[in-house]
Amino acid sequence: MRSGEGEDIAAQAKAFLTSLQQPHERSSAATADDLLLFFYRLRDEFRIVRSASERFKGPSFSFLHELLYQLESRPDETLLSAEWRTFIEVLLSDIGSGRIVVAHT
C-alpha cells in the first residue's frame, strides 16, 4: 500500500457520511455519482485488511455489486431508500472510523 491511501479512503468515507447526513445544495444525482465512483474504486482497487464491522466481513468488497447496480440504474431512488441509505451510511461509518481497514491491491 502506498503511504496514506488507507487514510485517504477513510477521510473520503467520513466526508461522504457528513455530506449524506446534512442537508446541502448539491443534487442527489451528483452525490450518487460521487458515491458510485468511490465504491467502484473500493471494489476494484482495495481489499479489506481487517474488519471489526458487524455487517461487513471478508477480504474483498464484492458485496458492493448490488449497490453499484442500484446507484447506476436508480441513483435518486437508491439514496432515498431507507434500506440502501442505511447500508451506505454503515459502510462509510465503518471505513471512516477504522472498523474496516483497507489496503491497495
Side-chain angles (χ1 to χ4, degrees):
M1 176 169 90
R2 291 180 290 231
S3 178
E5 286 183 335
E7 293 83 8
D8 182 49
I9 291 295
Q12 289 176 24
K14 287 179 189 177
F16 279 124
L17 186 59
T18 299
S19 175
L20 285 172
Q21 292 176 337
Q22 295 180 7
H24 52 79
E25 308 81 43
R26 293 186 69 197
S27 73
S28 61
T31 302
D33 287 345
D34 294 340
L35 283 169
L36 185 62
L37 292 173
F38 177 76
F39 289 135
Y40 264 123
R41 184 170 176 227
L42 270 182
R43 188 196 67 184
D44 297 342
E45 298 179 18
F46 289 85
R47 63 185 169 81
I48 298 172
V49 175
R50 184 179 71 248
S51 177
S53 172
E54 293 187 18
R55 187 167 185 175
F56 306 106
K57 303 286 184 188
S60 75
F61 288 100
S62 61
F63 57 81
L64 290 176
H65 290 298
E66 183 61 25
L67 173 61
L68 292 169
Y69 174 78
Q70 293 298 323
L71 284 171
E72 281 184 1
S73 61
R74 304 174 3 179
D76 293 332
E77 294 89 348
T78 302
L79 291 179
L80 291 174
S81 160
E83 178 183 353
W84 283 116
R85 186 123 178 150
T86 299
F87 181 94
I88 292 168
E89 289 178 353
V90 168
L91 178 56
L92 293 173
S93 175
D94 285 353
I95 293 171
S97 68
R99 283 187 295 274
I100 294 177
V101 178
V102 302
H104 201 270
T105 55

